[in-house]
């Protein structure tokens, strides 16, 4: 992998086999503090380990990053129903709020450590189903920005699609979802504007049907590959450069959030058991006004770096995978 | 904190995201529900519920 990051078995996860990935150095809390390639390499390594080690296909990747975070890290949380199935929340867990796991994190670390010495398996052909993805084939308006394969950001100037949407709603009831589908069809003529460039790697666009709706700048965006994938491809099988372009997009969105005094919540949902809406790899971000407690680890005015739970975990050799 | 990206691009991104609201299905604001028993909050995604209902009706 690389020497910047360590992969650990989470010492007390909500779900079995959760991997926690953190940089060794306790001096960085934002996406922008790292090289995109370093985060991408660690992410691919963790995903391949879970897939090869326990046959896991569905997972959430959640990032703990931001100005009030003490030590950047992310978790890869298996969600599928493999033979090693993720533990389910039953009456006890719901009554008490206490997680019950069935795999000792130290045993998980040992098993994944052993798997890491074998080397990754090739992509699984049975998952390469033919499909048309709404996201990567650009069937959703409008592109907010592109990450090019060299990591640069391109924000289009196009505004006709927004003007067309405003015009459309003058004669339609915006509370009807069917009207929204008509709008999406109506805007299709703008979907290839600007035309795709050969070096476009990742596309960012607004989530057209957000679960949560807020006033002001609070909103949600999606990230997908910028080129149509005729066959399904899994996130761990993307090239390092492609995953790094997703990370680059998170870096851009993080700066955009801080520019408006908002908190960025970044994650990947992959597979139906993990609330993934399409087969193709896609990331998602929320801009929130009030930071969730999970992203506030440093009390105001008390940057106490003497005590860091992530650093303590990194010292637990039995939990270290790589 | 160093600015990794051109702020003109950041401003243009915000213009585009806010303009994209016209393309989103936003029938109602999300409501914040607070559990009086423990103070925890739940977010009521009114738009999502409406979407599911109307899609079901539209498909009959």
């Amino acid at each position: 992998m690389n020497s910047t990051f360590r992969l650990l078995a989470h010492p007390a996860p909500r779900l079995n086999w959760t991997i926690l990935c953190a940089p060794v150095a306790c001096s960085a809390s934002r996406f922008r503090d790292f090289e995109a390639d370093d985060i991408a390499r660690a992410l691919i390594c963790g995903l391949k380990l879970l897939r090869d080690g326990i046959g896991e296909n569905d997972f959430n990747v959640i990032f703990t990053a931001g100005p009030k975070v003490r030590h950047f890290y992310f978790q890869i949380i298996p969600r599928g129903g493999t033979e090693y199935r993720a533990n389910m929340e039953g009456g006890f867990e719901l009554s008490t709020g206490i997680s019950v796991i069935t795999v000792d994190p130290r045993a998980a670390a040992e098993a994944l450590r052993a798997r890491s010495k074998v080397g990754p398996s090739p992509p699984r052909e049975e998952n390469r189903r033919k499909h048309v993805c709404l996201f990567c084939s650009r069937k959703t308006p409008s592109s907010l920005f592109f990450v090019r394969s060299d990591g640069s950001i391109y924000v289009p100037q196009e505004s006709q699609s927004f003007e067309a949407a405003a015009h459309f709603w003058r004669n339609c009831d915006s509370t009807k979802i069917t009207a929204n589908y008509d709008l999406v069809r109506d805007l299709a003529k703008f979907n290839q504007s600007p035309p795709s460039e050969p070096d476009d790697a990742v596309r960012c666009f607004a989530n057209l049907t957000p679960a949560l709706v807020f006033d002001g700048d609070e909103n949600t965006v999606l990230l997908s590959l910028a080129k149509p994938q005729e066959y399904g491809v899994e996130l761990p099988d993307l090239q390092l450069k492609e995953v790094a372009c997703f990370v680059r997009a998170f870096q851009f969105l993080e700066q955009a959030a801080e520019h408006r005094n908002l908190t960025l919540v970044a994650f990947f949902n992959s597979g139906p058991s993990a609330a993934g809406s399409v087969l193709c790899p896609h990331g998602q971000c929320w801009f929130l006004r009030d930071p969730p407690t999970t992203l506030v680890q440093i009390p105001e005015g008390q940057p106490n770096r003497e005590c860091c739970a992530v650093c303590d975990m990194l010292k637990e050799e039995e939990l270290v995978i790589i | 904190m160093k600015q990794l990206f051109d702020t003109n691009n950041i401003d243009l991104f915000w213009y585009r995201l806010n303009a994209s609201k016209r393309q989103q299905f936003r029938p109602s604001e999300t409501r914040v529900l607070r559990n009086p028993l423990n103070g925890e909050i739940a977010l009521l995604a009114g738009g999502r519920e409406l979407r599911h209902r109307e899609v079901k009706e539209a498909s009959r």
Side-chain angles (χ1 to χ4, degrees), chain B:
Chain B
M1 186 64 214
K2 68 172 179 177
Q3 302 298 308
L4 203 56
F5 302 98
D6 181 353
T7 51
N8 289 328
N9 271 345
I10 299 279
D11 288 336
L12 185 53
F13 162 76
W14 276 113
Y15 157 73
R16 296 183 69 75
L17 180 56
N18 283 324
S20 289
K21 283 182 178 176
R22 295 168 183 161
Q23 300 170 351
Q24 288 180 311
F25 181 58
R26 303 169 66 91
S28 62
E29 287 293 304
T30 294
R31 286 171 56 202
V32 179
L33 310 179
R34 189 168 293 279
N35 181 343
L37 300 171
N38 59 14
E40 289 180 357
I41 62 169
L43 298 176
L44 176 63
R48 180 58 62 94
E49 190 277 333
L50 184 61
R51 180 164 66 115
H52 288 168
R53 181 157 45 84
E54 296 212 357
V55 167
K56 201 171 169 185
E57 286 172 5
S59 64
R60 277 182 187 151

Side-chain angles (χ1 to χ4, degrees), chain A residues 43 65 81 84 101-102 128 134 191 210 219 231 245 248 262 301:
Chain A
L43 175 57
Y84 295 92
I101 53 170
T102 53
R128 292 183 60 76
L134 293 175
N191 286 358
N219 210 331
Y231 290 90
C245 285
R248 194 74 175 156
L262 298 164

Side-chain angles (χ1 to χ4, degrees), chain A residues 52-53 62 181 270 287 293 302 310:
Chain A
D52 293 341
I62 57 174
Y181 293 153
S270 184
F287 295 102
T293 53
Q302 298 174 40
V310 177

Side-chain angles (χ1 to χ4, degrees), chain A residues 63-261:
Chain A
F63 293 90
T64 302
K68 293 181 178 174
V69 165
R70 195 187 305 275
H71 191 143
F72 176 98
Y73 66 91
F74 62 87
Q75 297 176 70
I76 307 172
I77 305 170
R79 300 298 302 272
T82 67
E83 59 183 296
Y84 295 92
R85 59 181 302 140
N87 45 313
M88 293 173 65
E89 290 192 324
F92 178 82
E93 293 86 342
L94 293 170
S95 301
T96 62
I98 298 169
S99 300
V100 178
I101 53 170
T102 53
V103 178
D104 182 340
R106 282 163 177 74
E110 189 178 354
L112 294 175
R113 203 161 42 233
R115 188 65 190 77
S116 73
K117 288 169 184 155
V118 177
S121 302
R124 299 197 300 195
E125 289 302 316
E126 68 269 26
N127 290 322
R128 292 183 60 76
R129 285 172 283 171
K130 197 163 185 170
H131 76 299
V132 177
C133 171
L134 293 175
F135 292 177
C136 64
S137 57
R138 289 174 70 163
K139 291 187 184 299
T140 59
S142 293
S143 299
L144 300 176
F145 68 85
F146 294 89
V147 185
R148 295 198 158 143
S149 50
D150 64 356
S152 62
I153 301 288
Y154 170 64
V155 189
Q157 301 267 357
E158 173 275 333
S159 62
Q160 290 168 303
S161 61
F162 303 126
E163 290 155 15
H167 180 76
F168 179 91
W169 288 122
R170 282 186 199 139
N171 300 314
C172 288
D173 178 356
S174 64
T175 64
K176 298 285 186 190
I177 184 66
T178 47
N180 192 264
Y181 293 153
D182 289 340
L183 169 68
V184 171
R185 274 191 289 273
D186 202 56
L187 295 180
K189 53 184 172 285
F190 302 108
N191 286 358
Q192 297 302 322
S193 176
S196 61
E197 296 288 334
D199 57 348
D200 287 342
V202 165
R203 181 173 82 103
C204 176
F205 54 99
N207 184 338
L208 292 183
T209 53
L212 306 173
V213 177
F214 300 106
D215 267 339
D217 289 333
E218 289 184 289
N219 210 331
T220 174
V221 299
L222 290 158
L223 303 168
S224 74
L225 293 168
K227 294 187 182 66
Q229 306 293 311
E230 191 179 359
Y231 290 90
V233 60
E234 296 180 320
L235 185 58
D237 295 324
L238 296 182
Q239 298 295 313
L240 174 66
K241 274 287 172 204
E242 293 175 303
V243 179
C245 285
F246 276 105
V247 176
R248 194 74 175 156
F250 288 146
Q251 291 178 325
F252 180 81
L253 293 165
E254 180 184 70
Q255 185 174 323
E258 290 178 25
H259 194 65
R260 296 284 177 110
N261 207 21

